[in-house]
Amino acid sequence: MAGPETYGLISLLPALVAIGLTLTTRQVLLSLFAGIWLGATIIVGYNPVAGAARALEFVVSNVTATWNMKLLLFTFLVGAMLGMIFLSGGMSALATRIADRIRTRKGAELGTAGLGMLIFVDSYASTMITGSVMRPITDQFDISREKLAYILDSTTSPTASVAVVSTWLGFEVGLIQQQFEALGITADPFVMFLQSIPFRFYSLLAMALVFVVILTDWDFGPMQTAERRAEETGKVLRDDADPLIETQEDDIVTPEHVDPEWWYFAAPIVALVGMTAFSLLYTGGLTLDAVFGADSLGALSNALVDAISNASTANAILWASFTGAATILTILVGHARIGLEPISDAIFEGFKMVMFPVAVLSLAWSIGAVSQAMGVGPFIVGIAEGVISAAMLPAIIFVAAVVISFSIGTSWGTMGILFPVAIPLAFNLGAPLPSAIGAILTGALFGDHCSPISDTTVLSSMFAASDHVDHVNTQIPYAVLAGLIATLLFLASGYGLPAFPALAIGLVLLVGGAYVFSEHVDLGRVTVYDTDGDLGVSDD
């Protein structure tokens, strides 16, 4: 083949097959590898044996990529840290303190959403920490695991994606800077990042919808069924559900001589977050001279922004996870007086907690690489170019980002695919750059939320201990509602409606849509995939 663009419509097949098999068979790993094998077979000229060999090469090359290896090691270290925190009893102690202050289901749901947004430095760490801390509390109030997974997924990543200090910032600003340099644009990339935030229509509406649903109890679609089951029967999981993990106190037992303290949990988490922030600045080249030698607050702000923009995100979160693990290890040995053998067992249990998502992440990256090798991005954008105008461009970019991120299961990969194509297109057509950039960044998140092969979706299912397919099924209606409204807002903004009035209109539409679907459209008993995993619409 001459190039990836020549695969055309066929380039969608690997991702679609993987997604379809995942939803219909509930066998995530086999489905993902089937998609990888199909794409590799097409690439090598439809030879299935050579395709199998090429598929393994895709997996090996992605797992051994430096950034990916560091992310996997980060995940294992966080798993080890959580295993040791469980051994210390610190998570239970903190959950008890929080539970003493939470009196209602709404309080538990609001606490989950608030904690997910509070740990904004990294979406992975936020999902892991918030899910682990709040799951016992939400179980106590009979909140379905599907609802917990939805709250995690719709607060952690959207918050990190718009935060001005996070692991997402360096990546996003770096993409903007790369295109500005190539196009000769003199605007400051970080300022453009800030200007794009009001245009992150889906991200902002997705976060708002979480609070609308919590405060009004306007659940709809399969989530309504899940919440009704949990409230009426106390079953936080449906019968025959297959949660990604079951992290219970019986798995890792705190020694009898230990008196658990809440700060056993807080100390490693503070170390994790603090080291993440420090490492982002350090790897970005921030020096003491730049901090203390700044002659104004603006100069200091610019130095901080430059450092975060140039930071090595992979190194930062890796160092942070090691620091968090080392902190709790020190506490266990020095303060809790726990022996090395139970500590080693707890670390191993922590590794087991994250083993499955590590496998899913590895295969999700690989199928994303297959899709990119077959030219999914250029194909989708090429279709959009046939109907483009400057006014319609933001909406078209948004839809393209949604389709691509849904297909390859990674928002960051989608951003990397679209920026080199969409930003020059927007610049040449005279379309507003903040709107175009916002469309890429938030569209990538929308598709990511709907895709069962997304890393963040998998992590949300994992740390909510939810059935993964159930999480996808229950979250899609909420994501689609926010996404459809976001599409309308991008169309309106393209024709001149400012961002903030658009957001106000979007919020009204969001509240109205949630009310209508919850109170007047009976979707509560309808599921897209039945309990056997068969595709179709069923009424329980």
Side-chain angles (χ1 to χ4, degrees):
M1 294 273 181
E5 67 277 2
T6 61
Y7 289 100
L9 187 62
I10 297 176
S11 64
L12 294 173
L13 280 180
L16 292 178
V17 166
I19 291 168
L21 287 176
T22 297
L23 293 174
T24 55
T25 69
R26 299 176 184 266
Q27 299 300 316
V28 178
L29 297 178
L30 292 177
S31 299
L32 284 171
F33 190 78
I36 297 168
W37 171 80
L38 176 61
T41 299
I42 294 172
I43 289 173
V44 299
Y46 299 92
N47 182 326
V49 177
R54 186 72 180 92
L56 293 176
E57 290 178 12
F58 270 111
V59 175
V60 171
S61 63
N62 279 277
V63 170
T64 56
T66 301
W67 199 98
N68 291 352
M69 287 183 67
K70 290 179 179 179
L71 179 57
L72 294 179
L73 185 54
F74 159 78
T75 305
F76 275 120
L77 284 172
V78 170
M81 182 186 73
L82 291 176
M84 287 187 284
I85 289 175
F86 270 106
L87 179 65
S88 75
M91 195 174 295
S92 298
L94 179 64
T96 300
R97 288 176 65 94
I98 296 175
D100 289 341
R101 291 163 174 76
I102 293 178
R103 307 298 181 188
T104 63
R105 290 182 98 251
K106 278 187 175 62
E109 292 175 337
L110 288 172
T112 302
L115 185 59
M117 298 177 71
L118 182 64
I119 308 173
F120 54 80
V121 175
D122 180 72
S123 57
Y124 291 124
S126 180
T127 301
M128 293 174 178
I129 294 166
T130 304
S132 299
V133 170
M134 297 304 298
R135 186 173 60 249
I137 299 173
T138 56
D139 283 355
Q140 177 183 335
F141 286 96
D142 295 332
I143 296 168
S144 68
R145 295 280 178 82
E146 295 94 328
K147 186 68 168 290
L148 174 60
Y150 160 67
I151 294 174
L152 290 177
D153 216 354
S154 296
T155 54
T156 54
S157 293
T159 303
S161 70
V162 300
V164 295
V165 178
S166 78
T167 54
W168 289 58
L169 177 66
F171 180 74
E172 292 175 329
V173 172
L175 290 174
I176 297 171
Q177 182 178 15
Q178 183 183 42
Q179 294 307 309
F180 278 15
E181 290 179 353
L183 297 170
I185 300 173
T186 57
D188 183 85
F190 181 72
V191 172
M192 188 62 65
F193 167 86
L194 295 177
Q195 292 174 346
S196 76
I197 291 177
F199 291 97
R200 313 282 188 93
F201 294 134
Y202 173 76
S203 304
L204 298 173
L205 291 177
M207 288 188 284
L209 183 57
V210 170
F211 290 95
V212 170
V213 170
I214 290 174
L215 294 174
T216 62
D217 290 323
W218 288 344
D219 288 300
F220 54 91
M223 186 71 79
Q224 193 175 67
T225 303
E227 281 292 89
R228 189 179 299 156
R229 178 203 69 228
E231 285 192 81
E232 294 177 357
T233 70
K235 295 179 179 179
V236 296
L237 289 163
R238 66 169 174 80
D239 293 333
D240 301 322
D242 185 20
L244 288 190
I245 62 167
E246 281 289 354
T247 307
Q248 301 175 353
E249 292 301 314
D250 291 341
D251 298 330
I252 304 175
V253 180
T254 303
E256 293 183 0
H257 73 275
V258 176
D259 184 17
E261 301 282 356
W262 66 269
W263 60 268
Y264 286 180
F265 170 83
I269 299 307
V270 169
L272 174 73
V273 174
M275 180 56 75
T276 299
F278 170 80
S279 299
L280 287 172
L281 297 174
Y282 178 79
T283 60
L286 185 69
T287 63
L288 292 177
D289 289 340
V291 174
F292 295 105
D295 55 6
S296 67
L297 186 60
L300 177 60
S301 176
N302 288 335
L304 293 174
V305 169
D306 288 342
I308 294 174
S309 299
N310 296 320
S312 172
T313 299
N315 284 334
I317 62 174
L318 181 60
W319 297 349
S321 61
F322 179 81
T323 301
T327 299
I328 184 60
L329 176 62
T330 302
I331 291 172
L332 291 179
V333 174
H335 191 273
R337 303 295 182 183
I338 298 177
L340 294 179
E341 183 174 349
I343 291 175
S344 297
D345 292 340
I347 291 173
F348 181 71
E349 289 297 324
F351 288 160
K352 286 167 59 178
M353 285 165 52
V354 299
M355 187 65 71
F356 180 73
V358 161
V360 174
L361 285 171
S362 301
L363 294 181
W365 286 328
S366 301
I367 198 169
V370 169
S371 296
Q372 292 179 39
M374 296 182 70
V376 165
F379 172 67
I380 297 297
V381 174
I383 293 175
E385 285 179 338
V387 291
I388 271 183
S389 68
M392 294 181 63
L393 182 62
I396 293 172
I397 292 176
F398 176 72
V399 173
V402 169
V403 174
I404 294 171
S405 61
F406 180 84
S407 299
I408 68 176
T410 164
S411 53
W412 283 27
T414 300
M415 296 173 196
I417 291 171
L418 272 181
F419 259 90
V421 179
I423 299 307
L425 186 60
F427 180 69
N428 291 326
L429 287 177
L433 288 180
S435 180
I437 291 171
I440 297 175
L441 300 179
T442 197
L445 199 61
F446 175 27
D448 208 34
H449 272 171
C450 295
S451 176
I453 63 174
S454 158
D455 50 1
T456 53
T457 303
V458 170
L459 285 175
S460 296
S461 296
M462 174 190 168
F463 284 93
S466 170
D467 184 290
H468 183 52
V469 175
D470 288 346
H471 169 43
V472 174
N473 271 335
T474 53
Q475 178 161 273
I476 281 179
Y478 294 90
V480 168
L481 174 60
L484 288 175
I485 295 172
T487 304
L488 294 176
L489 298 187
F490 275 115
L491 283 171
S493 68
Y495 285 96
L497 181 66
F500 288 107
L503 280 172
I505 294 172
L507 185 59
V508 172
L509 293 174
L510 192 73
V511 173
Y515 173 76
V516 169
F517 282 116
S518 175
E519 301 294 329
H520 297 289
V521 180
D522 187 11
L523 298 176
R525 294 170 60 83
V526 176
T527 57
V528 179
Y529 301 92
D530 65 28
T531 55
D532 295 324
D534 296 325
L535 182 61
V537 178
S538 63
D539 191 330
D540 296 329

